[in-house]
Amino acid sequence: PSAVIPADKFLLGGTGSLRGFVSGGIGPRASSGTMGGDALGGNFFYSANALLSMPSPSLLSQHSELSGMFRYVRLFGFVNAGTCVDVLGSKSWINVLNSTRTSVGVGVATKVLGPRLEATYSWPQRFGPSDGRRRFQYGLSVSIG
């Protein structure tokens, strides 16, 4: 069998995949280093997200020069769940269920000249002792296509 190189592994965490956890913050780790060890990645991951959003209240309507800038601001609440594991053997799905991480939180998002800017505050609900967690996060994303 050929060796698996790190580039063939999945990493999970961060605003784009699992809010409340740092990028690469969950999953298999080396036994030494920060946050319980360096992220090694897994050969299986899933990430699920439920989000409720609403337009921001028009608090700036009396300032017409500012209201246009904040027209696309949305407030949202979310629930995230996911995991990143090495799936091997007959009990692999039990490992997936047991290693699932969850978080809840609130955020604000806007479009700035095309890209989407997001800031969130999260409360990780289910996490492991070596997981890298971060309550406040921000991110920028671009849709292509």
Side-chain angles (χ1 to χ4, degrees):
S2 63
V4 177
I5 60 171
D8 290 336
K9 296 283 194 151
F10 297 110
L11 296 173
L12 190 63
T15 57
S17 63
L18 195 60
R19 295 175 184 97
F21 297 89
V22 299
S23 181
I26 66 168
R29 309 195 85 70
S31 60
S32 64
T34 60
M35 294 181 298
D38 295 326
L40 297 175
N43 61 13
F44 173 85
F45 83 95
Y46 83 89
S47 178
N49 179 24
L51 186 134
L52 292 173
S53 74
M54 63 180 245
S56 66
S58 256
L59 300 174
L60 303 170
S61 59
Q62 66 269 21
H63 303 287
S64 60
E65 68 278 358
L66 294 176
S67 64
M69 183 177 13
F70 291 96
R71 183 173 23 163
Y72 300 108
V73 175
R74 297 194 64 84
L75 306 174
F76 62 92
F78 62 87
V79 176
N80 288 154
T83 192
C84 180
V85 293
D86 277 326
V87 177
L88 298 170
S90 61
K91 297 185 179 187
S92 58
W93 294 110
I94 293 171
N95 189 20
V96 168
L97 292 176
N98 289 338
S99 67
T100 293
R101 308 304 195 226
T102 60
S103 66
V104 298
V106 294
V108 60
T110 188
K111 285 187 136 285
V112 181
L113 300 174
R116 181 177 185 268
L117 179 63
E118 172 182 302
T120 61
Y121 193 83
S122 306
W123 292 271
Q125 301 296 301
R126 188 169 182 216
F127 51 88
S130 64
D131 292 343
R133 294 172 280 160
R134 181 170 295 140
R135 288 199 171 189
F136 176 74
Q137 294 176 308
Y138 59 91
L140 184 69
S141 62
V142 179
S143 296
I144 300 174

